[in-house]
Amino acid sequence: MKKFTTILAVTALALSMLFTGCSKSASEDVAVHNSRSGNTETNMPYEEASYVEDYYEYEAGLSDIEYYDGGSNRTVASSSQTNPNVIDTRMLIRRVTMDLETTNYSQVVNDLLSSVESAGGYVETSSGNTVSGHLRSGYYVIRVPANQLDFVISGLSANATVTSSSESTEDVTLQYADTQAMVESLRIEQETLNELLSQADSLETILILQNELTTVRYQIESYESQLRVLENQASLSTLTVTINEVLEETEVEEPHVVTYGEKVADTFEKMLENTKEFFEDLFLEIILIIPGIIVFAVIATAIFVTVKVLLIKRRKKLKKLAADKVDNQSKNDNNNQL
C-alpha cells in the first residue's frame, strides 16, 4: 500500500513538472524576444553577473537588493520584505551614447575618469588609437549608479563639444516581477520534491526525485541569475563615450526660436517659389504641345476656309435663285397685263 501511494505521488509530480515545463517554455520565449530586441546584456554568464553584482554591493556597502530608478532618491527592495508579485518602483535600464570632440584630449579623459570615480562607477571597457598620425581617439563603456549618470554627463561638456548623443530607457519591471514569481513557484516545487524524497522507500523513486530536484535547482539558479542581471542593469546605467581629438572643435549653433514674422516671411517666400515653379512648368508644357497646336491650327484653318468657301458659293446660289425668281415673276406679270 505504501509503495502504491509513492507511485501515485510520483505520477502527480510528473504532471506538475509537465506544467512547469510549459511555463518555462513561455518564459524562455519572452527571454528570446527580449534578446532579439536588443537586450543582449541579459544573457551575461552567471559567474560574470554574480561578480558584477558582488563588486557593486561591496563598493556601496549593501546587504539587500538595491537599485536606482534614475532619480535623485535611491529605492531599496529587500528580497525578504518585498512581495515578489508586486514591485512598487519601476525598474528602468538607462543607456546613453555620446560622441565628443576636443582640442584638449588628455584633460577631457582625466575629467571623465575622475567624475566616474567620484560617482562610484567604473570603466567596463576602454580602447584608444591614433588617427592621422597624431590625433587621438578613445572609446569608453562606463557603468555608474543610475542617480549619478546626469552628474557624469554634465561634466563632459566643459572641455569638449558634444557632436551627437542618444539615450534609451527600458522598463523591465514586469519582466523582473514575472521572473521573481517563477523563482517562488520553483522553490515551492523544490520543497515538495524534498518532502517526497524524504518519504521515498524505493531506489527507482529516489532516482526520479533526485533527477527532478536537479532540474528544478538548475532552473532556480538560471532565473536568479536573470534577476541579478536585471538588478545590476537597473542600478548601474551604461554610458558609452567616444572622444575624438581635433585641431578645431565643431561649432554647435544655439537653437533659434522662430518668430511669427519669420513664419509669415517664410510662407510668403514659399508662395513666390511655388508660383514661379508653376509658370515654369506651364511654359515647359506649352513647349511640349506646340507641335500639336500647329497641327490643330492647320486643320482648323483648312476646315474654316472650306466652310467659308462653301458658304460663299451657297450665298451666291441663293442670290441667283432669288434673282431668277424675281425675273420669272416680272415676266408673269407682263404676260397677265397683255
Side-chain angles (χ1 to χ4, degrees), residues 23-225:
S23 300
K24 175 188 175 185
S25 176
S27 177
E28 288 176 350
D29 290 341
V30 173
V32 170
H33 173 73
N34 291 335
S35 65
R36 290 179 178 174
S37 63
N39 189 10
T40 57
E41 296 183 8
T42 307
N43 297 323
M44 185 185 297
Y46 173 75
E47 292 78 10
E48 183 179 351
S50 300
Y51 173 78
V52 173
E53 183 190 20
D54 293 341
Y55 171 83
Y56 177 67
E57 290 186 356
Y58 173 79
E59 289 293 320
L62 306 177
S63 58
D64 292 327
I65 299 170
E66 180 167 340
Y67 58 87
Y68 298 93
D69 60 358
S72 59
N73 296 325
R74 190 168 58 191
T75 303
V76 179
S78 174
S79 57
S80 61
Q81 298 177 355
T82 304
N83 185 343
N85 297 320
V86 179
I87 296 181
D88 297 330
T89 306
R90 312 304 298 177
M91 290 191 68
L92 304 178
I93 299 175
R94 189 179 175 195
R95 301 181 181 91
V96 177
T97 302
M98 301 179 68
D99 292 335
L100 307 177
E101 285 185 354
T102 180
T103 57
N104 194 351
Y105 181 84
S106 299
Q107 183 65 40
V108 172
V109 172
N110 291 335
D111 290 346
L112 173 62
L113 298 180
S114 239
S115 61
V116 169
E117 184 178 359
S118 300
Y122 64 94
V123 178
E124 184 177 74
T125 304
S126 65
S127 62
N129 56 5
T130 303
V131 183
S132 301
H134 60 282
L135 297 177
R136 292 165 292 179
S137 176
Y139 175 81
Y140 297 88
V141 178
I142 297 166
R143 303 295 303 280
V144 293
N147 64 342
Q148 297 294 321
L149 180 60
D150 292 329
F151 163 74
V152 175
I153 292 175
S154 63
L156 290 176
S157 58
N159 297 312
T161 300
V162 180
T163 57
S164 66
S165 64
S166 62
E167 179 176 344
S168 65
T169 303
E170 181 183 2
D171 190 342
V172 295
T173 308
L174 294 179
Q175 181 183 351
Y176 186 86
D178 292 341
T179 307
Q180 272 190 326
M182 184 62 69
V183 170
E184 292 298 323
S185 176
L186 289 171
R187 288 194 181 281
I188 294 173
E189 184 175 351
Q190 185 182 31
E191 293 176 1
T192 303
L193 288 171
N194 285 324
E195 183 178 353
L196 290 174
L197 184 60
S198 65
Q199 299 175 1
D201 57 354
S202 67
L203 179 60
E204 181 181 0
T205 303
I206 292 174
L207 291 176
I208 292 175
L209 292 174
Q210 286 181 342
N211 183 57
E212 297 297 339
L213 271 171
T214 301
T215 302
V216 170
R217 286 170 186 152
Y218 173 78
Q219 292 175 354
I220 290 175
E221 290 178 358
S222 176
Y223 285 121
E224 286 181 341
S225 175

Side-chain angles (χ1 to χ4, degrees), residues 1-8 198-201:
M1 181 67 181
K2 185 175 182 180
K3 184 175 182 180
F4 178 74
T5 304
T6 304
I7 293 175
L8 287 179
S198 65
Q199 299 175 1
D201 57 354

